[in-house]
Amino acid sequence: MSVNGANPLRDAQDRRLPRIAGPSGLVIFGVTGDLSRKKLMPAVYDLANRGLLPPGFSLIGFARREWEHEDFAQEVYEAVKQHSRTPFREEVWQQLVQGCRFVQGDFDDDTAFETLKATIEELDKQQGTGGNFAFYLSVPPKFFPQVVQQLKKHGLAEKAGSWRRAVIEKPFGHNLESAQELNQIVHEVFPRDEVFRIDHYLGKETVQNILALRFANTMFEPIWNRSYVDHVQITMAEDIGIGGRAGYYDGIGAARDVIQNHLLQLLALTAMEEPGSFHPKALVAEKLKVLAAVELPEDLGKHTVRGQYSGAWQGGEKVVGYLEEDGIDPNSKTDTYAAIRLEINNRRWAGVPFYLRTGKRLGRRVTEIAVIFKRAPYLPFESGATEELGQNALVIRVQPDEGITVRFGSKVPGTSMEVRDVTMDFAYGESFTESSPEAYERLILDVLLGDANLFPRHQEVELSWNILDPIEKYWDEHGKPAQYPAGTWGPVEADEMLSRDGRSWRRP
Ligand code: BG6
């Protein structure tokens, strides 16, 4: 088909969307991995299906596997069939497959990078990609420097009149020092504005909605501060174990895996000041200020907890403990659960604890931000009337059952005055007919458009490591993670951590 012609695959529903990628292609390093199969390839298809990719869009897989182009195309096909969000349409697939290519090789293989270069040039001619390519590094972090340097060496990192971008998956480094080194290496090759560090939580609709909730409304912001807020709980709980990811997870653990990035980003969006606009620079400036104001507790032994799941029955199934998982060192001290208490040293938040917790093999999968308000200073009711009145709360449910719940006290119907907690709910599914795009759809599209708003900048990544490093160091030097049976809500030590503050974790 003509690469310059109209895209016949753009459906009527999406025509009103102005954000459509121009001529371009995507190269995925680590294309045989789980992330690529479950998220990246399906997201590319979903974007194509929604008419948001140019007709000649090209997808190049780079990996060691001995595949021909057809084998790669078949892999993409199966990934799309199995994991795409939108329905399969043969005509969309037929168009997408025109631009699928595979390059076989190791990351130190110069010939493979020359083949990649030739493949890109050939696609420019055949598919009209205009020389615009994003390089997606979905590979273990130890390979980031090598791949980036190979791109430079083979003249792939820039092309006059076109754009070249680097997309880097987490974890971005292992600690502050390695993140700084990595930033330096990447910035020597790609201009800062062409580096996109992925934190897929920022691509989630519900996470972007934190900004809409806070800054498009008048009713929340006046009470969003230390005068009214008692504390904030940010929870990311998963019911799954580590699956086949032992190689990645052991030695990394829960805090590095998700607190350093996802949870600290949620904290930043919840606690930051209003930016002057949503221009990336304005938004980042506010996130940086709040991350820089984060203070760790003095006694890390009392105000942080790490845990490891032990074997138990979960959801009617007997599951093994972390130390019995395939590929895990039986003496591993890696945390599969982490809870920490932070404070934010500024006028808005001084003295308000932010409790962050995450874990694998917990009671159920849920991510939420719960803003818990102070009790009314005086309750003019008879004693006993407010026994079942808790604290007001506003809960942003990131997933599942995306939405927002407000909890407040209400009079129980009847002749006496008795007050009890009730909830008021907003559910995405009920208020909007469109289903939310997957985070990776949004983020890949933004990369192709050069829109950096939903990508952490290098200083954010470094400040986040700066928060986590002392905690990891403390854990390294002190004992072992506490055990918790799979399917529970984490170690008892985590409950004690909150009860010492006169509080308790929400049971989401
Ligand atoms: C990833 C972590 O960033 O997020 C995984 O590396 C985790 O360990 C995953 O399972 C969870 O993502 P989501 O979108 O399912 O909450």
Side-chain angles (χ1 to χ4, degrees):
M1 76 158 291
S2 154
V3 289
N4 299 317
N7 184 350
L9 309 178
R10 184 164 306 150
D11 64 30
Q13 194 204 354
D14 281 340
R15 203 165 284 154
R16 67 199 150 82
L17 288 168
R19 301 177 88 251
I20 297 172
S24 53
L26 182 70
V27 180
I28 304 179
F29 291 96
V31 78
T32 51
D34 238 28
L35 182 76
S36 175
R37 207 174 51 250
K38 291 195 180 141
K39 300 287 181 188
L40 307 183
M41 296 178 192
V44 167
Y45 168 83
D46 286 324
L47 287 172
N49 201 9
R50 291 164 65 205
L52 303 180
L53 295 184
F57 183 80
S58 299
L59 178 66
I60 306 179
F62 186 114
R64 242 177 314 187
R65 211 67 64 90
E66 302 268 344
W67 278 346
E68 298 297 327
H69 296 311
E70 297 70 39
D71 303 319
F72 173 58
Q74 183 62 26
E75 282 293 313
V76 182
Y77 177 80
E78 276 159 25
V80 164
K81 277 274 189 148
Q82 224 183 327
H83 299 292
S84 285
R85 180 180 65 89
T86 60
F88 185 81
R89 288 199 290 158
E90 188 61 33
E91 67 273 28
V92 177
W93 170 249
Q94 285 307 331
Q95 183 170 321
L96 194 60
V97 76
Q98 306 274 321
C100 281
R101 300 285 184 282
F102 183 70
V103 177
Q104 193 267 330
D106 275 313
F107 300 140
D108 61 358
D109 180 351
D110 286 332
T111 318
F113 277 83
E114 283 304 313
T115 310
L116 176 61
K117 192 173 183 181
T119 308
I120 286 180
E121 282 163 12
E122 175 205 312
L123 285 168
D124 280 349
K125 289 198 198 100
Q126 290 175 4
Q127 296 283 105
T129 41
N132 301 316
F133 273 84
F135 300 100
Y136 199 120
L137 276 64
S138 176
V139 298
K142 64 175 183 232
F143 295 119
F144 292 166
Q146 191 176 25
V147 176
V148 167
Q149 273 150 1
Q150 284 284 50
L151 291 172
K152 181 177 176 167
K153 183 169 163 197
H154 295 276
L156 285 158
E158 56 183 342
K159 181 161 197 278
S162 311
W163 54 255
R164 294 286 159 96
R165 296 183 179 134
V167 187
I168 303 192
E169 257 302 330
K170 58 170 272 281
F172 198 84
H174 194 73
N175 53 22
L176 176 60
E177 202 186 331
S178 56
Q180 282 169 330
E181 273 169 27
L182 201 52
N183 274 324
Q184 205 185 336
I185 291 169
V186 177
H187 289 154
E188 276 165 13
V189 176
F190 287 93
R192 280 165 197 252
D193 287 348
E194 306 293 5
V195 179
F196 292 75
R197 294 169 194 77
I198 294 268
D199 182 323
H200 80 280
Y201 263 61
L202 295 182
K204 292 184 191 271
E205 285 286 327
T206 36
V207 172
Q208 292 160 47
N209 196 32
I210 299 170
L211 298 178
L213 175 84
R214 293 190 54 200
F215 304 131
N217 300 303
T218 50
M219 52 199 270
F220 304 113
E221 213 48 23
I223 52 169
W224 210 259
N225 56 53
R226 68 189 303 274
S227 306
Y228 295 94
V229 175
D230 177 69
H231 71 282
V232 177
Q233 294 187 16
I234 303 182
T235 300
M236 177 185 169
E238 295 185 282
D239 51 6
I240 52 169
I242 53 152
R245 295 168 81 219
Y248 158 78
Y249 201 85
D250 205 34
I252 294 231
R256 285 195 177 97
D257 184 35
V258 302
I259 291 187
Q260 186 273 339
N261 36 72
H262 308 327
L263 295 201
L264 285 176
Q265 284 290 329
L266 294 182
L267 174 140
L269 294 173
T270 306
M272 71 183 202
E273 296 301 315
E274 181 175 290
S277 74
F278 287 142
H279 183 277
K281 288 212 165 83
L283 193 62
V284 169
E286 293 308 334
K287 284 203 274 172
L288 287 177
K289 273 193 241 164
V290 79
L291 287 172
V294 167
E295 174 157 304
L296 290 176
E298 258 175 44
D299 189 342
L300 290 172
K302 269 202 182 131
H303 300 295
T304 71
V305 169
R306 68 187 157 145
Q308 225 174 38
Y309 57 83
S310 54
W313 285 91
Q314 188 188 21
E317 195 197 339
K318 181 114 177 82
V319 300
V320 297
Y322 180 71
L323 298 178
E324 290 93 55
E325 295 272 15
D326 277 349
I328 298 296
D329 170 4
N331 297 314
S332 172
K333 283 166 66 180
T334 299
D335 46 306
T336 63
Y337 176 98
I340 59 182
R341 174 194 155 125
L342 300 172
E343 291 199 15
I344 298 175
N345 278 340
N346 62 22
R347 181 169 287 248
R348 188 192 279 264
W349 293 118
V352 177
F354 281 67
Y355 299 101
L356 274 47
R357 68 174 158 162
T358 185
K360 301 266 184 210
R361 289 254 181 256
L362 296 183
R364 74 184 186 95
R365 174 177 185 250
V366 59
T367 298
E368 63 165 42
I369 300 162
V371 180
I372 315 287
F373 293 92
K374 293 186 172 171
R375 288 179 191 282
Y378 171 69
L379 290 170
F381 301 90
E382 281 178 16
S383 70
T386 54
E387 258 168 21
E388 291 190 51
L389 176 67
Q391 283 168 273
N392 294 166
L394 186 142
V395 182
I396 300 170
R397 282 191 313 281
V398 173
Q399 65 190 26
D401 312 324
E402 292 79 358
I404 294 172
T405 297
V406 179
R407 184 179 70 194
F408 58 98
S410 171
K411 179 182 176 306
V412 179
T415 49
S416 65
M417 178 56 101
E418 189 192 335
V419 185
R420 196 184 294 166
D421 281 340
V422 292
T423 56
M424 205 158 68
D425 253 318
F426 149 62
Y428 273 78
E430 282 169 22
S431 299
F432 299 111
T433 49
E434 306 95 280
S435 70
S436 297
E438 276 281 326
Y440 280 97
E441 276 173 73
R442 172 67 197 262
L443 296 177
I444 290 174
L445 180 62
D446 282 2
V447 168
L448 300 175
L449 290 166
D451 181 346
N453 232 348
L454 300 178
F455 297 82
R457 308 302 281 191
H458 78 275
Q459 306 99 314
E460 283 170 75
V461 173
E462 291 178 11
L463 277 173
S464 304
W465 280 121
N466 204 34
I467 295 168
L468 200 62
D469 275 0
I471 299 174
E472 292 285 356
K473 184 163 181 282
Y474 178 88
W475 287 347
D476 257 4
E477 290 165 0
H478 294 82
K480 286 182 158 188
Q483 298 288 306
Y484 61 97
T488 63
W489 281 96
V492 284
E493 285 80 348
D495 293 330
E496 287 161 14
M497 172 180 136
L498 253 72
S499 62
R500 271 197 297 273
D501 289 356
R503 302 187 173 101
S504 55
W505 292 109
R506 278 172 50 78
R507 280 289 126 95

